[in-house]
Amino acid sequence: MTQKQSGMTLIELVISMLLSLFLIAGMSQIFMQSQKNFALERHLADMTEDAVFALDLLSKNLSLAGYSSDGKMDLFEINSTVMGSKISFNQDEYIRGLDNELIFRFKITDDKDLNNSLCTSSLKYNPNDILTIYIYEDKDGDGIPVFYCKVKQSSVTEPFNAKPLISQVEKLEFRYGVQNKNDVNNPDDDTFYYAKADDINDWKNVFAVKVFLVMRSADNNVTNTKMKYTIENTTYTANDNRLYHVFSKIIYLQALAQ
């Protein structure tokens, strides 16, 4: 007796194909999302590594502001034209800045002092030189925002060229910690506040710098929407689809705080 063989009907075949397509589409979506998440994590890791390097570098340098082993600082005016900044020191001032750039100085008494920073590591040691370091952010020839430093050495006529330290620095902002010494009725008042540069009357009262460093991803089209980031109470909106992140650090000026 011959047995009849049965197979899938056309409807069953169509249903199985649709189910397979839905399964493949779902797996593809999961794969694409995981790839996107991996890319975001990779960009954030790169940005964090660069930010930590830049903030540590700045911290090592700023901790020397106003430092001199003999306790004496000769008057040394900044040549604003040569340095490329509008900032200049008054007598006995060791730090001055704007909201987006900063200049500070210290006296070196040992060649090891030059090794504290990439900004000064290539300098030739001259005893009792005063080093003035200019920190700022600017665009390079390709339009990429870069964190720069420029050094003026008192024994050298011209400053060294600007050194690019970290790229993809979208914004660099400073707030200055100021000791409250305006209350004549309470001279022992040790309270402090953080202020913008225009609100500081006496830069010798500045004992700390709060640095805000906004890093962006090297690649564009990383996010679906234009990101927003906030520095203190001000919110900024990016003009592209890069990943942005704000890093901050408070750096105390040891020589001035004593």
Side-chain angles (χ1 to χ4, degrees):
M1 183 175 179
T2 306
Q3 261 187 341
K4 291 185 178 180
Q5 294 182 350
S6 61
M8 296 180 63
T9 65
L10 180 60
I11 295 176
E12 291 173 331
L13 183 60
V14 171
I15 291 175
S16 63
M17 290 178 62
L18 287 175
L19 290 174
S20 299
L21 289 175
F22 282 131
L23 180 61
I24 293 173
M27 293 178 65
S28 298
Q29 187 69 24
I30 293 174
F31 176 77
M32 292 175 62
Q33 187 61 42
S34 64
Q35 288 291 95
K36 186 174 182 179
N37 291 339
F38 175 77
L40 287 173
E41 292 176 1
R42 178 174 57 82
H43 284 300
L44 183 57
D46 291 342
M47 293 158 59
T48 301
E49 184 178 351
D50 287 346
V52 168
F53 169 80
L55 292 174
D56 284 349
L57 173 68
L58 191 54
S59 181
K60 289 179 180 178
N61 278 264
L62 270 172
S63 65
L64 293 173
Y67 170 77
S68 173
S69 63
D70 57 12
K72 299 178 181 179
M73 289 285 289
D74 298 326
L75 175 63
F76 180 62
E77 292 289 343
I78 291 248
N79 187 325
S80 58
T81 303
V82 175
M83 289 293 288
S85 171
K86 299 177 182 178
I87 305 170
S88 61
F89 286 122
N90 293 326
Q91 189 172 1
D92 298 328
E93 288 181 347
Y94 312 124
I95 182 170
R96 258 188 180 262
L98 302 175
D99 291 344
N100 59 354
E101 59 184 58
L102 174 67
I103 292 183
F104 57 96
R105 58 184 174 177
F106 57 92
K107 181 184 289 187
I108 59 173
T109 53
D110 194 306
D111 58 351
K112 294 179 181 178
D113 294 337
L114 297 174
N115 298 325
N116 287 312
S117 169
L118 292 176
C119 299
T120 60
S121 58
S122 62
L123 299 181
K124 182 180 179 180
Y125 173 67
N126 287 306
N128 296 320
D129 254 359
I130 294 177
L131 298 183
T132 304
I133 299 181
Y134 173 32
I135 300 293
Y136 63 101
E137 177 270 328
D138 199 3
K139 300 254 189 329
D140 66 8
D142 297 322
I144 298 174
V146 177
F147 176 16
Y148 288 98
C149 70
K150 188 182 290 188
V151 181
K152 178 70 173 67
Q153 195 170 3
S154 59
S155 63
V156 180
T157 304
E158 296 296 328
F160 284 75
N161 294 329
K163 280 191 175 183
L165 300 176
I166 293 292
S167 61
Q168 308 301 343
V169 177
E170 176 66 16
K171 191 178 292 290
L172 181 65
E173 287 202 11
F174 301 102
R175 300 292 182 268
Y176 303 94
V178 183
Q179 291 179 332
N180 190 6
K181 298 183 178 180
N182 297 324
D183 189 353
V184 294
N185 297 319
N186 188 12
D188 296 327
D189 185 4
D190 59 354
T191 60
F192 65 92
Y193 59 94
Y194 284 94
K196 291 188 174 183
D198 289 341
D199 298 326
I200 299 176
N201 296 320
D202 189 349
W203 283 88
K204 286 181 285 187
N205 291 337
V206 173
F207 73 97
V209 178
K210 190 173 185 179
V211 185
F212 295 94
L213 189 67
V214 182
M215 301 296 301
R216 74 177 195 180
S217 61
D219 296 336
N220 201 347
N221 300 318
V222 177
T223 59
N224 294 327
T225 58
K226 292 178 172 57
M227 286 194 64
K228 294 183 178 181
Y229 57 90
T230 301
I231 298 178
E232 293 189 319
N233 297 321
T234 304
T235 300
Y236 303 88
T237 301
N239 56 7
D240 54 30
N241 290 89
R242 299 176 191 267
L243 181 65
Y244 289 82
H245 193 78
V246 180
F247 300 87
S248 64
K249 184 173 185 178
I250 296 176
I251 303 171
Y252 294 95
L253 313 181
Q254 297 177 8
L256 300 181
Q258 295 176 353

